[in-house]
Amino acid sequence: MRLNGVPAANGSGGSGTFASTPAEKKAAANTIETELEPNTKKATEHADESTNTAVKGFEGWDASVGLKKVADTWDRQVKVLMGRLGSEKGSLRGASGLFVQNDLATGDGFRQLNTRSKLHGL
């Protein structure tokens, strides 16, 4: 059952695939590192420069105070975004390792069952 109540096209309720491949996770993490993080930093620096110029230009006016407040809010939001990007990057890089560990543990469990069944003549 899907939350929106519409069944999947194949009738199973899922896409038929478990997840992305380790290579896809690595590529996504690399995109975050080589494109999103540096481009976000550049955009932030450009916006900060422009805003600081505007704040100085309106010095003594209420607009200057308002722009400064907006700039401070922007900086906090960018800090949160950069933290989120870093977290997602780390999660993507760590997910493949966790899946491999889980697969190995599951395989070990089945091997133990197989060994026990052979010992008991099953």
Side-chain angles (χ1 to χ4, degrees):
M1 174 196 236
R2 292 178 53 167
L3 290 177
N4 66 3
V6 179
N10 64 7
S12 68
S15 65
T17 59
F18 174 65
S20 60
T21 66
E24 290 170 320
K25 287 179 183 65
K26 182 179 180 181
N30 288 342
T31 297
I32 290 172
E33 184 171 9
T34 61
E35 294 180 32
L36 296 177
E37 288 176 325
N39 290 339
T40 300
K41 185 177 178 188
K42 285 179 195 173
T44 300
E45 290 168 355
H46 178 71
D48 284 346
E49 290 171 12
S50 298
T51 303
N52 289 338
T53 300
V55 167
K56 289 177 187 173
F58 286 108
E59 195 168 330
W61 294 45
D62 288 341
S64 177
V65 174
L67 284 171
K68 179 68 175 134
K69 186 174 181 178
V70 168
D72 291 344
T73 300
W74 166 265
D75 288 340
R76 284 193 306 276
Q77 290 173 341
V78 168
K79 185 177 180 178
V80 169
L81 175 60
M82 293 299 287
R84 176 81 186 266
L85 288 170
S87 175
E88 295 295 338
K89 178 179 62 177
S91 294
L92 285 164
R93 289 192 171 142
S96 292
L98 293 173
F99 287 136
V100 168
Q101 290 173 2
N102 188 47
D103 288 348
L104 291 174
T106 301
D108 288 344
F110 280 115
R111 277 187 285 285
Q112 290 173 1
L113 289 173
N114 189 28
T115 303
R116 284 188 217 144
S117 66
K118 287 180 182 177
L119 289 174
H120 298 303
L122 300 175

